[in-house]
Amino acid sequence: MSDQAHQTAPSIPTHTLNDGTTLPGIGFGTLVRGDNKSERGIMVRSLRSAISRGYRLLDTALSYGNEAEVGQAVRASEVDREDLLITTKVPGRFHGYRGAKESLRVSLESLGFDYVDLALIHWPLPRLDLYVDTWRALIEMREEGLIRSIGVSNFTAEHLRRLHEETGVMPAVNQIEMHPYFPQAQLRAVHDQLGIVTQAWSPLGRASTLREESVLTEIADAHGVTPGQVVLRWHLQHGVIPLPASSNPQRQHDNLSLDFDLTGDDMLRIDALEQGRIWGQDPDVHEEY
Ligand SMILES: NC(=O)C1=CN([C@@H]2O[C@H](COP(=O)(O)OP(=O)(O)OC[C@H]3O[C@@H](n4cnc5c(N)ncnc54)[C@H](OP(=O)(O)O)[C@@H]3O)[C@@H](O)[C@H]2O)C=CC1
Ligand SMILES: O=C(O)C(=O)[C@@H](O)[C@H](O)C(=O)CO
């Protein structure tokens, strides 16, 4: 591993997980949705551009259908595999002990790697009641060296506590919806108590009306940055790892250029934009496979 290992940009902090490994304070989201779904070559070019701009943590999932492109981009990039951190996720259709093992086998094959840095249970799907068995498989695969760190996504405080009670192993990370419309103060406080690092999905609110909020445009003007940069800086100052996605090289660069400080008042004004979940995906009932 080089001296620059896992270093994204000087102003971006590093987080130490409960298993002693580290993650950069920002990651790159790789999901491309619906009509914007690019052809595979475009996806690889976008990922290579993100890596060359400084992203070291790449967030994929089996259900994104792009693990082959992520692997291809990593192999084509100027950065060594061991200096990059790859996250994947176990989808609902692979819940259960055997399913989770199969899910990771498929992901590793698609990626073309012999390990991932972080594997998450994508959604808890409490109706199936298989997330504890899924977790046991992740624990074993970490012991086998197939996964460096294990965590979850979209888990509530109750799900997190149950995993620990039944297996003795607390997730290192919980990746959750978080942006100024849904700051997740309560769940972040639980994460702090339990020693879990928070990752934020859709940190920019998926290019919704969020960036047009006057609170954000005013704060952006005051600091000479864009509303998107304000939102990502707000995540960093809340101690959270945001995972912004962008196919645009300039925005990929801007999203890493966060060398300014929001004031306490700025932070409170942004927190006050709270409305709740934008897409209504309540983890107690949301199911995707
Ligand atoms: N665990 C989970 O359940 C989930 C995980 N995720 C993860 O989170 C990642 C990010 O979430 P995502 O839903 O993509 O949403 P984001 O909040 O990251 O928004 C992405 C959108 O914002 C635009 N954008 C990016 N940067 C800027 C900027 N500086 N100014 C203006 N617009 C900008 C992009 O457009 P453009 O490309 O044109 O720049 C794109 O349309 C996903 O890629 C995925 O990895 C997402 C959902 C759920
Ligand atoms: O992006 C993810 O990781 C998801 O879980 C998505 O399914 C996300 O919830 C979504 O795109 C919903 O439209």
Side-chain angles (χ1 to χ4, degrees):
M1 198 179 292
S2 75
D3 289 348
Q4 300 299 309
H6 307 165
Q7 192 173 45
T8 295
S11 58
I12 307 291
T14 296
H15 293 263
T16 301
L17 306 185
N18 63 11
D19 58 15
T21 65
T22 58
L23 288 183
I26 192 164
F28 185 71
T30 70
L31 175 67
V32 178
R33 288 188 182 76
D35 293 344
N36 295 327
K37 237 186 175 90
S38 3
E39 54 106 345
R40 310 249 156 210
I42 296 177
M43 164 72 80
V44 174
R45 276 202 295 284
S46 168
L47 286 160
R48 285 185 66 186
S49 154
I51 294 168
S52 68
R53 264 147 197 84
Y55 292 90
R56 293 294 174 263
L57 171 63
L58 306 180
D59 184 75
T60 183
L62 191 148
S63 63
Y64 298 171
N66 66 3
E67 288 169 311
E69 286 72 30
V70 171
Q72 206 181 321
V74 168
R75 279 184 291 281
S77 86
E78 67 282 10
V79 180
D80 292 341
R81 162 69 186 98
E82 64 267 27
D83 291 341
L84 291 163
L85 295 135
I86 312 298
T87 303
T88 194
K89 313 189 190 85
V90 176
R93 64 185 179 282
F94 283 106
H95 268 220
Y97 177 83
R98 288 163 66 143
K101 292 209 160 180
E102 177 61 6
S103 180
L104 195 81
R105 189 193 66 71
V106 172
S107 289
L108 290 175
E109 190 174 303
S110 304
L111 286 160
F113 300 147
D114 53 11
Y115 72 95
V116 287
D117 300 277
L118 180 63
L120 310 178
I121 304 178
H122 204 146
W123 287 88
L125 295 148
R127 188 181 61 86
L128 296 188
D129 197 18
L130 287 170
Y131 64 80
V132 179
D133 288 342
T134 311
W135 187 239
R136 290 189 209 285
L138 291 194
I139 295 169
E140 266 187 31
M141 290 188 285
R142 183 182 61 178
E143 285 161 5
E144 290 161 7
L146 299 172
I147 309 172
R148 297 270 156 93
S149 298
I150 54 177
V152 295
S153 178
N154 300 301
F155 274 47
T156 65
E158 183 195 331
H159 305 143
L160 294 168
R161 291 202 169 97
R162 183 169 165 214
L163 285 187
H164 187 248
E165 272 162 27
E166 297 199 21
T167 68
V169 180
M170 189 60 87
V173 166
N174 191 14
Q175 184 182 121
I176 56 174
E177 178 180 349
M178 181 186 159
H179 38 71
Y181 286 150
F182 194 41
Q184 293 266 27
Q186 266 184 310
L187 189 50
R188 283 190 285 111
V190 171
H191 290 171
D192 289 347
Q193 270 172 13
L194 301 179
I196 295 171
V197 167
T198 309
Q199 290 188 335
W201 60 254
S202 300
L204 298 162
R206 280 181 214 169
S208 62
T209 54
L210 174 66
R211 291 190 325 272
E212 287 148 33
E213 290 285 348
S214 57
V215 165
L216 295 178
T217 54
E218 280 166 31
I219 295 173
D221 288 347
H223 292 276
V225 296
T226 67
Q229 288 169 306
V230 168
V231 169
L232 295 172
R233 182 72 209 176
W234 170 83
H235 285 88
L236 298 194
Q237 289 185 214
H238 271 311
V240 169
I241 301 177
L243 304 168
S246 178
S247 53
N248 176 291
Q250 182 61 49
R251 287 193 283 280
Q252 291 175 353
H253 168 82
D254 292 349
N255 292 347
L256 289 182
S257 305
L258 305 175
D259 194 9
F260 60 97
D261 286 316
L262 296 173
T263 65
D265 186 53
D266 292 337
M267 291 294 286
L268 289 174
R269 290 178 72 203
I270 302 169
D271 290 343
L273 292 171
E274 175 151 20
Q275 294 179 6
R277 299 180 197 284
I278 302 189
W279 302 281
Q281 292 175 295
D282 177 350
D284 274 324
V285 290
H286 178 76
E287 296 195 351
E288 54 178 71
Y289 293 89

